[in-house]
Amino acid sequence: MSYYKIKNLEQYFKHYKKSIREPQKFWGRVASENFVWYQQWEKVVEYDMADARVEWFKGAKVNIVKNCIDRHLAKRGDKTAIIFEPNNPDEPALHISYNELHERVCKMANVLRDQGIKKGDRVCIYLPMIPELAVSVLACARIGAVHSVVFAGFSSSALASRINDCECKMVITSDGSYRGNKTVDLKGIVDEALQQCPTVTTVLVAKRTNEAVPMQDGRDQWLQPLLDKASTNNVAEIMDAEDPLFILYTSGSTGKPKGMLHTTAGYMVYTAYTFKNIFNYQDNDVFWCTADIGWITGHSYIVYGPLLNGATTVIFEGVPSYPNFSRFWEVIEKHNVNQFYTAPTAIRALAKESLEYVQKYPLSSLKVIGSVGEPINEEAWHWYNDHVGGKRCPLVDTWWQTETGGIMISPLPFVTPTKPTYATLPLPGIQPVLMDEKRNEIEGNQVVGSLCIKYPWPSMARTIWGDHQRFKDTYFSTFPGKYFTGDGALRDEVGYYRITGRVDDVIIVSGHNLGTAPIEDAINEHPAVAESAIVGFPHDIKGNALYGYIILKDIGEGRDRNNLSKEINQLIADQIGPIAKLDKIQFVSGLPKTRSGKIMRRILRKVAEGDFSNFGDISTLLNPEIVEEIKNGRL
Ligand code: 6R9
């Protein structure tokens, strides 16, 4: 274990250098010392980045679930693997030990096999955040079926297109789900989706809300009676290192969703390694990631990363605002959470509310707090650091993507000094480079460019399901031979990285490159502003000008809009320069957001340009109704 865990900055640099100079040796050692294999690999890595082909641990045989559960049983059988915290705080939490998890996963695996699911078959999982979700994921992996989890907030048409894209044979769902004070009819959504899905022959239905739901004869079955009859003995499938583990669709920006395919051994090694180092997990800690398992963050850091390390991981069914804005802090207190990992969008929403909600709780169990999903603005960083981390817990701002499988750039707590809004340094094995418009690598520090990765890493996606050409075109063609992230970044004077946002969020105004994030930071500092988003629109003289969409706090509502606009532009001029002033400011009641909390800038850009013709797919928005309001209020 000593090699696995980095203890201080000097050791970080040592491991980093070794991982770059001798990646085969580095990852070979991490892999052989920390996992159980049926058979060792012939070669650690083989790749051709120009053709987007990468193989890790080729020739090895392994089962990831054996590594997540079985190997822990002798030492940690009674340790809690999963704490399930229900939506309703009055419903008791559930503690599932490693022994119990083993039993549940084996039974589920047997049910899947009895229903005809074989190695390589795709199974769609459309479940709320209940233990059955993690159990289903693990049961698929145990028998070599490829899981495709679809976030249970997606509509029936989004679900259908994902099921059809990878031709799932089965859907695992529940009667319904709870979210805050709402109940959602999940089974109804599945039924509607399946009218367009000819490949699905079986639907397994878990009970959660106990609502009466129609069951289609010959297709639908209640899960529990099948589990009751199933044996707890299950022999795990022996998988090749590069056998598919799962497909996960990226929160679509344009067009058809991309089914990112992740494979077995590399994903296992990298998620386990990053979990241990980035959260500094110690043996009896309780780890809580608030993401949904329907996103990559939940796959890697609720299920696989924690369980591979024999950790206790929290599955939270609820939302941060129910029954009130103290919910997160109450759960941390209740379960003595040691590591807490959430998203800037949640932090900003909670920071808008009274401080009393968080100050009521000492949160003294916390040791490390983390952020993921989008750039964390300075104000949110400080609020999180001060009021949640109590200025004593390192805040790890972790940059990564569905495509990267695991965290790529992040401080290591108690190792890397943090800096607000900076993801800081790459993990061992990760070689970030910044590229200019002429496709040259930018050397040195204090520079900005497009963020690429120049050497393969174990958990990178291997392809887009069914469309390798699109995979190549999207990620490996813009900068030939390198993986292009689609993000822009700056590297400061000591080599720390700050992710400035999607590259398409960089707007060139009168020849100046402006990132949207720093401008939004400046605007958000105005006491009357709750949130903002900036886009560019064509301008005769400047090339592009800036258009700002601004949500006011209650205190701003009664104020004169012209004066507010002037104050906001003054703030921008003061902090960034007059060049970054907004030409147009539209006050709105909300911003179009994807279900993972990302602003859909494409729509804002179209409105700013006055082009209402083709907004593309807005069905995956959390708040599609806002689009009308924004259109009507265009300046
Ligand atoms: C894990 C996840 C990926 C995109 C990524 C970037 C943004 C994620 C970030 C961040 C700045 C961070 N992003 N983490 N930007 N700082 N710490 O979110 O995956 O849903 O695929 O999104 O999210 O723009 O390219 P995914």
Side-chain angles (χ1 to χ4, degrees):
M1 277 313 228
S2 65
Y3 189 70
Y4 189 53
K5 178 69 180 72
I6 296 169
K7 294 195 187 62
N8 52 49
L9 199 58
E10 191 191 340
Q11 209 181 48
Y12 161 78
F13 284 116
K14 210 171 115 198
H15 282 220
Y16 187 78
K17 277 185 199 130
K18 168 134 185 162
S19 73
I20 303 307
R21 259 192 239 125
E22 298 176 293
Q24 311 256 359
K25 265 199 187 155
F26 180 84
W27 289 113
R29 187 162 166 198
V30 170
S32 61
E33 287 180 0
N34 299 287
F35 303 90
V36 293
W37 304 86
Y38 298 110
Q39 185 180 299
Q40 289 280 310
W41 45 91
E42 284 139 27
K43 194 146 187 224
V44 173
V45 59
E46 231 171 58
Y47 65 96
D48 174 356
M49 290 284 265
D51 197 35
R53 293 200 191 271
V54 175
E55 289 175 298
W56 282 87
F57 307 109
K58 196 174 170 179
K61 306 258 184 222
V62 69
N63 185 288
I64 192 169
V65 180
K66 285 287 230 193
N67 279 278
C68 284
I69 306 177
D70 302 45
R71 66 161 164 155
H72 302 313
L73 296 181
K75 264 205 188 142
R76 301 194 182 91
D78 293 326
K79 180 178 172 175
T80 300
I82 291 174
I83 298 175
F84 170 57
E85 174 62 32
N87 176 61
N88 178 351
D90 297 331
E91 189 183 327
L94 210 63
H95 288 73
I96 302 171
S97 68
Y98 272 90
N99 279 329
E100 287 162 337
L101 183 62
H102 182 251
E103 200 167 282
R104 282 193 184 215
V105 169
C106 285
K107 282 182 168 219
M108 185 75 194
N110 285 329
V111 167
L112 295 181
R113 278 192 181 140
D114 286 349
Q115 296 296 322
I117 299 297
K118 292 185 294 294
K119 179 177 170 180
D121 288 343
R122 274 82 59 209
V123 172
C124 172
I125 303 175
Y126 187 71
L127 278 170
M129 283 285 282
I130 56 177
E132 285 82 349
L133 173 48
V135 169
S136 301
V137 161
L138 293 162
C140 285
R142 191 173 181 93
I143 65 167
V146 182
H147 55 79
S148 166
V149 182
V150 177
F151 173 58
F154 273 134
S155 65
S156 60
S157 63
L159 174 62
S161 66
R162 285 158 177 76
I163 290 173
N164 287 337
D165 182 70
C166 65
E167 300 174 296
C168 295
K169 268 172 98 169
M170 175 190 270
V171 178
I172 306 174
T173 188
S174 66
D175 46 5
S177 72
Y178 296 122
R179 268 184 89 69
N181 51 19
K182 281 192 298 219
T183 309
V184 184
D185 172 19
L186 285 193
K187 178 63 166 56
I189 298 172
V190 170
D191 287 340
E192 205 176 308
L194 292 190
Q195 290 178 0
Q196 312 159 47
C197 301
T199 57
V200 174
T201 53
T202 311
V203 179
L204 301 182
V205 189
K207 277 204 175 177
R208 178 56 183 144
T209 55
N210 292 308
E211 306 269 330
V213 297
M215 297 289 278
Q216 186 176 309
D217 237 16
R219 187 194 73 183
D220 305 350
Q221 300 182 69
W222 291 107
L223 178 58
Q224 196 56 50
L226 299 175
L227 288 171
D228 291 342
K229 279 185 279 174
S231 156
T232 54
N233 292 323
N234 176 274
V235 182
E237 195 76 34
I238 297 176
M239 305 294 285
D240 286 336
E242 283 295 342
D243 274 339
L245 176 62
F246 65 85
I247 296 164
L248 187 60
Y249 290 87
T250 45
S251 30
S253 43
T254 51
K256 202 170 160 240
K258 292 179 285 192
M260 305 313 307
L261 181 75
H262 284 280
T263 60
T264 305
Y267 179 82
M268 173 182 83
V269 169
Y270 194 75
T271 53
Y273 178 78
T274 49
F275 175 79
K276 177 72 183 166
N277 278 294
I278 290 158
F279 299 105
N280 193 42
Y281 185 84
Q282 308 294 315
D283 221 10
N284 291 311
D285 288 348
V286 173
F287 175 83
W288 180 21
C289 164
T290 69
D292 193 287
I293 294 175
W295 309 123
I296 190 68
T297 305
H299 278 61
S300 301
Y301 300 107
I302 296 177
V303 182
Y304 288 113
L307 296 179
L308 286 163
N309 282 280
T312 300
T313 178
V314 177
I315 294 183
F316 175 54
E317 187 187 28
V319 294
S321 54
Y322 176 82
N324 59 57
F325 296 104
S326 281
R327 186 66 165 128
F328 273 2
W329 325 126
E330 179 224 0
V331 173
I332 291 175
E333 248 3 282
K334 178 174 173 187
H335 297 298
N336 289 309
V337 170
N338 302 109
Q339 291 90 8
F340 177 68
Y341 189 31
T342 195
T345 177
I347 296 299
R348 284 197 298 269
L350 293 169
K352 242 171 54 179
E353 304 300 329
S354 161
L355 258 187
E356 278 167 34
Y357 286 116
V358 58
Q359 283 175 340
K360 269 203 293 208
Y361 298 89
L363 307 178
S364 53
S365 58
L366 287 178
K367 299 196 276 193
V368 176
I369 56 174
S371 171
V372 60
E374 53 177 319
I376 180 163
N377 52 302
E378 188 132 11
E379 214 184 340
W381 195 97
H382 284 294
W383 190 91
Y384 192 26
N385 187 58
D386 295 359
H387 300 297
V388 181
K391 296 188 182 159
R392 60 185 174 80
C393 304
L395 193 174
V396 293
D397 177 2
T398 64
W399 174 83
W400 58 298
Q401 309 177 297
T402 304
E403 296 85 337
T404 69
I407 296 167
M408 304 285 279
I409 304 182
S410 169
L412 305 182
F414 314 108
V415 171
T416 322
T418 59
K419 176 174 177 182
T421 76
Y422 280 75
T424 75
L425 298 172
L427 268 287
I430 307 304
Q431 299 190 48
V433 286
L434 297 180
M435 309 296 291
D436 67 19
E437 301 89 81
K438 300 205 179 87
R439 301 182 174 183
N440 296 318
E441 202 174 315
I442 307 169
E443 310 275 344
N445 287 342
Q446 286 192 296
V447 291
V448 293
S450 297
L451 180 63
C452 289
I453 312 289
K454 81 170 174 195
Y455 190 86
W457 63 100
S459 65
M460 64 195 288
R462 300 299 194 258
T463 192
I464 291 174
W465 181 265
D467 199 348
H468 193 72
Q469 190 59 43
R470 186 174 178 200
F471 184 62
K472 233 167 104 171
D473 293 346
T474 311
Y475 302 105
F476 297 87
S477 303
T478 319
F479 301 99
K482 296 185 176 64
Y483 168 80
F484 176 41
T485 66
D487 282 327
L490 69 81
R491 191 160 55 218
D492 78 357
E493 61 286 354
V494 299
Y496 272 17
Y497 287 89
R498 178 187 184 178
I499 313 305
T500 47
R502 305 295 304 182
V503 172
D504 34 20
D505 294 343
V506 172
I507 306 165
I508 302 182
V509 179
S510 303
H512 297 267
N513 280 23
L514 298 173
T516 51
I519 303 175
E520 288 161 6
D521 274 1
I523 298 170
N524 296 351
E525 278 183 27
H526 191 288
V529 171
E531 200 176 351
S532 60
I534 305 298
V535 296
F537 70 99
H539 186 281
D540 284 352
I541 296 159
K542 304 178 188 176
N544 289 297
L546 299 179
Y547 192 115
Y549 297 86
I550 293 179
I551 308 176
L552 291 176
K553 289 182 185 158
D554 288 347
I555 52 159
E557 285 299 343
R559 298 210 29 209
D560 179 86
R561 302 281 163 105
N562 274 332
N563 286 342
L564 272 178
S565 299
K566 278 187 198 138
E567 288 170 18
I568 287 166
N569 264 333
Q570 193 54 49
L571 256 177
I572 299 174
D574 290 344
Q575 295 206 5
I576 297 157
I579 185 70
K581 277 196 191 174
L582 309 182
D583 272 36
K584 293 184 179 177
I585 296 182
Q586 181 181 347
F587 294 95
V588 294
S589 71
L591 294 166
K593 289 205 175 161
T594 65
R595 296 191 181 259
S596 55
K598 294 192 173 72
I599 297 170
M600 221 185 240
R601 288 175 196 272
R602 169 165 60 86
I603 291 170
L604 298 178
R605 232 177 272 129
K606 289 253 178 202
V607 173
E609 288 165 13
D611 172 9
F612 296 171
S613 62
N614 180 17
F615 284 114
D617 180 16
I618 61 166
S619 68
T620 58
L621 281 181
L622 198 60
N623 51 349
E625 70 287 347
I626 202 72
V627 177
E628 243 351 87
E629 180 204 307
I630 290 177
K631 264 162 65 178
N632 293 336
R634 177 175 178 266
L635 300 169

